[in-house]
Amino acid sequence: MREAQRALETPLFSGLPGDIEVSFEFFPPKTEKMGETLWHAVETLKPLGPRFASVTYGAGGSTRERTHQQVVRIQNEAGIPAAAHLTCVEATREEVDEVARHYWEEGIRHIVALRGDPPDGSGNYTPHPGGYANAVELITGLKKIADFEISVAAYPEVHPDSPDAQADIANLKAKFDAGATRAITQFFFDPQCFFRFRDEAARAGIEGEIVPGIMPVLSFAAVQRMSGLCGTAIPSWMEGLFEGLDDRPEARQLVSATIAAELCRRLYAGGVRQFHFYTLNRAELSYAICHMLGLRPKA
């Protein structure tokens, strides 16, 4: 309560000690130019001492090789502990296990284990014959291969395929029981949404770390599309703040940084000290938010 009162009475970002831990998510580039942008983001964020950097995995394994290249490069060249996304989609157990063993041989010790979405958003998810049916089975399989650190997904506003919030929490608990190290949430814009979810998880007996996923808005239209797919609610006031900024990228970036930083500050006031940023391969917004939260480059 003292921290909450302090957040109300003083400038929001005054005197924060920088006692947060952060991680960053990137996606594998499609072109050489996009690769340069990604690597600039990695080098910009590296001095903040991230716990890890993860690289996404395209639907149906469509980016398997590019994901592998970036994961290994981030760990070997940037010196950041790297985490590879791995899904169950469009692959047999043997194929997924082979990818996992290859990561272990390359020195990658951290997997973000996900069920995954249907390729190109095509209908309902259907397990591959002979494949892992879901994230719980995937985690169990990974733990048989090696002692991976495993991050999983969590959904404060309920996964679109879950019948209700109770079933969603039960599924998250099953992931932890299978060996998950932490859960990283889908992005959201209401801090109370996260706090309610964290409390519900605790009541269900989940003791593992639950890290909020933060999405700084690079494009409001893109966030609207992504929110529609994953079930994230967009507050009505957000549309008004981004109105008229489509052709003003600098102003849009300032607005975006302000919104995301205030969300993080309110989460901080509620005791959150770990944050995971969906960077979309851009460093500036995530770096600015970390700076406002008191985090500074490490020697």
Side-chain angles (χ1 to χ4, degrees), residues 114-117 152-160 162 165 168-169 171-172 175 183-187 193 197 200 210 229-232:
L114 308 166
R115 187 203 71 178
D117 298 318
V152 296
Y155 294 83
E157 296 170 273
V158 184
H159 191 284
S162 290
D168 213 31
I169 289 289
N171 186 53
L172 180 60
K175 294 179 190 179
I184 301 170
T185 76
Q186 180 59 267
F187 68 90
C193 172
F197 180 75
E200 290 168 3
I210 300 179
L229 293 172
C230 65
T232 295

Side-chain angles (χ1 to χ4, degrees), residues 146-220:
D147 189 22
F148 284 106
E149 177 181 355
I150 297 178
S151 294
V152 296
Y155 294 83
E157 296 170 273
V158 184
H159 191 284
D161 291 348
S162 290
D164 52 44
Q166 185 176 359
D168 213 31
I169 289 289
N171 186 53
L172 180 60
K173 188 174 189 305
K175 294 179 190 179
F176 277 108
D177 291 344
T181 309
R182 74 178 55 78
I184 301 170
T185 76
Q186 180 59 267
F187 68 90
F188 57 91
F189 299 107
D190 178 5
Q192 293 304 320
C193 172
F194 176 81
F195 294 138
R196 285 193 297 269
F197 180 75
R198 187 180 63 179
D199 292 345
E200 290 168 3
R203 284 193 291 270
I206 295 173
E207 299 178 352
E209 180 182 305
I210 300 179
V211 181
I214 307 299
M215 173 78 80
V217 178
L218 291 177
S219 163
F220 186 68

Side-chain angles (χ1 to χ4, degrees), residues 86 93-105 111 132 137-148 150:
L86 192 58
R93 292 181 180 232
E94 290 74 18
E95 290 170 333
V96 173
D97 290 352
E98 181 182 359
V99 172
R101 281 191 291 267
H102 193 34
Y103 276 127
W104 188 266
E105 292 165 0
I111 298 290
Y132 291 112
E137 288 191 6
L138 174 58
I139 295 163
T140 303
L142 290 171
K143 283 295 186 179
K144 291 178 180 178
I145 294 170
D147 189 22
F148 284 106
I150 297 178

Side-chain angles (χ1 to χ4, degrees), residues 11-12 35 37 57 73 100 121 140 182 280:
L12 276 178
T37 300
Y57 195 73
R73 187 182 182 195
T140 303
R182 74 178 55 78
L280 300 180

Side-chain angles (χ1 to χ4, degrees), residues 21-25 52-54 85 184-185 211-215 274-278:
E21 296 179 307
V22 298
S23 53
F24 302 108
E25 180 176 295
F52 62 88
S54 66
H85 286 220
I184 301 170
T185 76
V211 181
I214 307 299
M215 173 78 80
Q274 287 83 31
F275 298 88
H276 183 77
F277 291 92
Y278 298 111

Side-chain angles (χ1 to χ4, degrees), residues 26-29 38-39 53-58 61-77 80 82-86 95-111 148:
F26 304 100
F27 65 85
L38 164 61
W39 201 246
S54 66
V55 182
T56 62
Y57 195 73
S62 57
T63 66
R64 179 179 298 173
E65 292 303 320
R66 286 184 282 130
T67 296
H68 179 268
Q69 291 168 3
Q70 297 305 324
V71 167
V72 173
R73 187 182 182 195
I74 286 171
Q75 178 145 309
N76 292 346
E77 296 185 32
I80 302 173
H85 286 220
L86 192 58
E95 290 170 333
V96 173
D97 290 352
E98 181 182 359
V99 172
R101 281 191 291 267
H102 193 34
Y103 276 127
W104 188 266
E105 292 165 0
E106 292 277 5
I108 306 301
R109 300 291 183 260
H110 188 171
I111 298 290
F148 284 106

